[in-house]
Amino acid sequence: MTWDDLDAHLDRVPGTVSAYVGRLDAPPTFTRHADAGHYAASTMKVAVLAALHRAAEAGTLDLDAPVPVVNDFDSAQPGAPRFANARPYDNDDAVWDRIGGTASLRWLADRMIVRSSNLATNLVLGHVGLPAVAEVWALAGARNSVTGRGIEDFAAREAGITNTVTAADLAALLGALATGADTPGPLASPAACTSMLDVLLAQEHREDLAAGLPAGTRIAHKNGWVRGVRHGAGVVLPDDAPPYLIAVCTTTDLADSEDQMEDDACLLIAHISAQVWAARHQL
């Protein structure tokens, strides 16, 4: 496979497929529509995670202090009613089972990533605030990504307030965490970056990027999906080559049914991941 071959393959996919592939702290080896905007889905949760750890390092939040677990949130649209999450659209009953009780922000942040819990995300976001998430994107060097609202804040969505990412910006954010684990960087201390990478390494949704890698390959990653959208972004840590970044964002109409669309999008991202893995020594 050549990169031109991969690009030609993706040209045949209906919709927009964006990609960024490259080593840490180096120009990318392969890009495709890397600055095209996509609805973020759950990939924005990485920026929320970083904002939380920055607040903890600043001393404004305690990761291990218990906070109330509620399902009631302020809308990002001024004057709009408060909103709530719908349990059927979440991926983690463990958080919902704690409603009316408490949980630590650290535990909620873990569930936000490893199970992609929407309820946990809005709880964490309510404590860190949208401006702190915007600061994370800016410090990472992201140019086009915006986290404008919480998940299922439909009043804000109707007002045009949304969450947007690009493949290049997701790679920049994950790259900042990966390099920051070794050398002090703009986002957080090496200890905090290492802690965040450990959470991303524990990701349980492995049907896209991770599915294209050999079993046991370490990848610190986050994916996101809604109808017509599937993204995956991560840092792959091979045993026999330097780490590399891969971010794939897809806004496509791949099949007639929602389930088939989801399967086909996962297979597409897994295929790209496998092709990049095969070229890992040449990146």
Side-chain angles (χ1 to χ4, degrees):
M1 179 214 74
T2 68
W3 300 114
D4 287 343
D5 292 336
L6 179 58
D7 209 27
H9 173 74
L10 298 179
D11 280 341
R12 296 191 290 271
V13 177
T16 302
V17 179
S18 301
Y20 180 108
V21 175
R23 300 271 185 229
L24 304 177
D25 281 341
T29 302
F30 172 72
T31 62
R32 175 188 168 86
H33 306 318
D35 292 320
H38 297 259
Y39 176 64
S42 291
T43 58
M44 49 78 77
K45 296 171 182 178
V46 180
V48 177
L49 178 70
L52 174 64
H53 279 264
R54 285 177 54 78
E57 290 206 311
T60 56
L61 288 175
D62 181 349
L63 290 177
D64 296 308
V67 299
V69 178
V70 298
N71 186 20
D72 181 53
F73 306 104
D74 288 324
S75 173
Q77 171 63 13
R82 294 172 68 83
F83 72 97
N85 289 124
R87 187 166 185 166
Y89 295 108
D90 210 331
N91 300 288
D92 190 9
D93 287 337
V95 181
W96 289 83
D97 290 344
R98 294 201 183 193
I99 287 180
T102 63
S104 72
L105 287 169
R106 187 189 305 276
W107 183 83
L108 289 169
D110 286 353
R111 307 309 294 181
M112 171 179 73
I113 298 297
V114 303
R115 292 302 306 161
S116 205
S117 169
N118 294 337
L119 179 59
T121 302
N122 284 340
L123 287 164
V124 174
L125 186 58
H127 285 274
V128 301
L130 289 167
V133 181
E135 185 177 14
V136 164
W137 285 118
L139 290 171
R143 296 180 297 171
N144 300 295
S145 295
V146 175
T147 302
R149 60 173 174 83
I151 297 174
E152 297 176 62
D153 182 354
F154 298 127
R157 184 185 68 181
E158 292 302 315
I161 301 170
T162 191
N163 299 325
T164 303
V165 293
T166 71
D169 288 348
L170 286 170
L173 177 56
L174 286 157
L177 292 179
T179 57
D182 295 321
T183 305
L187 287 184
S189 70
C193 287
T194 298
S195 178
M196 287 185 268
L197 286 175
D198 285 343
V199 176
L200 291 162
L201 282 163
Q203 173 62 250
E204 295 178 12
H205 292 285
R206 302 180 62 83
E207 53 275 284
D208 42 57
L209 285 179
L213 301 173
T217 303
R218 293 190 302 152
I219 175 172
H221 67 121
K222 183 72 191 79
N223 35 29
W225 59 93
V226 296
R227 183 180 178 88
V229 167
R230 183 87 195 195
H231 310 322
V235 183
V236 181
L237 303 161
D239 291 332
D240 61 349
Y244 63 86
L245 294 162
I246 178 170
V248 182
C249 297
T250 71
T251 302
T252 61
D253 185 9
L254 290 171
D256 294 331
S257 72
E258 185 168 358
D259 288 343
Q260 187 61 46
M261 185 187 303
E262 176 70 9
D263 290 344
D264 286 352
C266 288
L267 289 171
L268 174 66
I269 296 175
H271 171 76
I272 297 169
S273 182
Q275 297 301 309
V276 175
W277 172 265
R280 67 192 179 281
H281 298 293
Q282 288 76 48
L283 295 179

